[in-house]
Amino acid sequence: MNAAPLLDTHIWLWWLLGDSSLKGKEKSSLDEFDSQTRPFLCDVSICEAALAAAAQAHGLRLATRGDRIRKSRLVALWKPSI
């Protein structure tokens, strides 16, 4: 890669956390950037990470794709952790 890519939140977190969702080839491509040309990150990704950390600190978790939409058709943004 020549130009540093713009990462979405999931890719960024998978890369930082060493998550297996990020395949070896993609991870190694990101690891090859030197400190002066690291990938870009959207401001929204920082906000999403801060929101998730704040929720966790208060014993809450953010809804995930696996969560079902309630009968009221409202998506629960916050649910107590179990």
Side-chain angles (χ1 to χ4, degrees), residues 12 14 19 21-22 25-26 34 51-53 57 65 72 76 78 81:
W12 172 54
W14 292 342
D19 192 287
S21 298
L22 188 62
K25 181 178 178 181
E26 289 82 6
D34 63 39
L51 181 61
R65 279 186 278 178
S72 67
W78 299 96
S81 60

Side-chain angles (χ1 to χ4, degrees), residues 44-70:
V44 167
S45 294
I46 302 293
C47 292
E48 288 175 341
L51 181 61
Q56 186 177 15
H58 293 288
L60 304 171
R61 69 174 178 83
L62 297 176
T64 63
R65 279 186 278 178
D67 293 327
R68 295 185 178 199
I69 297 175
R70 302 216 181 261

Side-chain angles (χ1 to χ4, degrees), residues 1 6 9 18 24 31 37 42 46 48 55 61 67 71-72 75:
M1 283 185 193
L6 174 64
T9 306
D31 289 341
T37 57
C42 285
I46 302 293
E48 288 175 341
R61 69 174 178 83
D67 293 327
K71 288 183 180 180
S72 67
V75 176

Side-chain angles (χ1 to χ4, degrees), residues 5-46:
L6 174 64
L7 302 181
D8 80 337
T9 306
H10 289 92
I11 302 297
W12 172 54
L13 291 175
W14 292 342
W15 182 40
L16 288 178
L17 300 174
D19 192 287
S20 63
S21 298
L22 188 62
K23 304 301 179 212
K25 181 178 178 181
E26 289 82 6
K27 182 186 179 313
S28 62
S29 292
L30 292 171
D31 289 341
E32 288 176 7
F33 286 102
D34 63 39
S35 61
Q36 300 300 314
T37 57
R38 285 290 186 177
F40 294 101
L41 190 61
C42 285
D43 294 343
V44 167
S45 294
I46 302 293

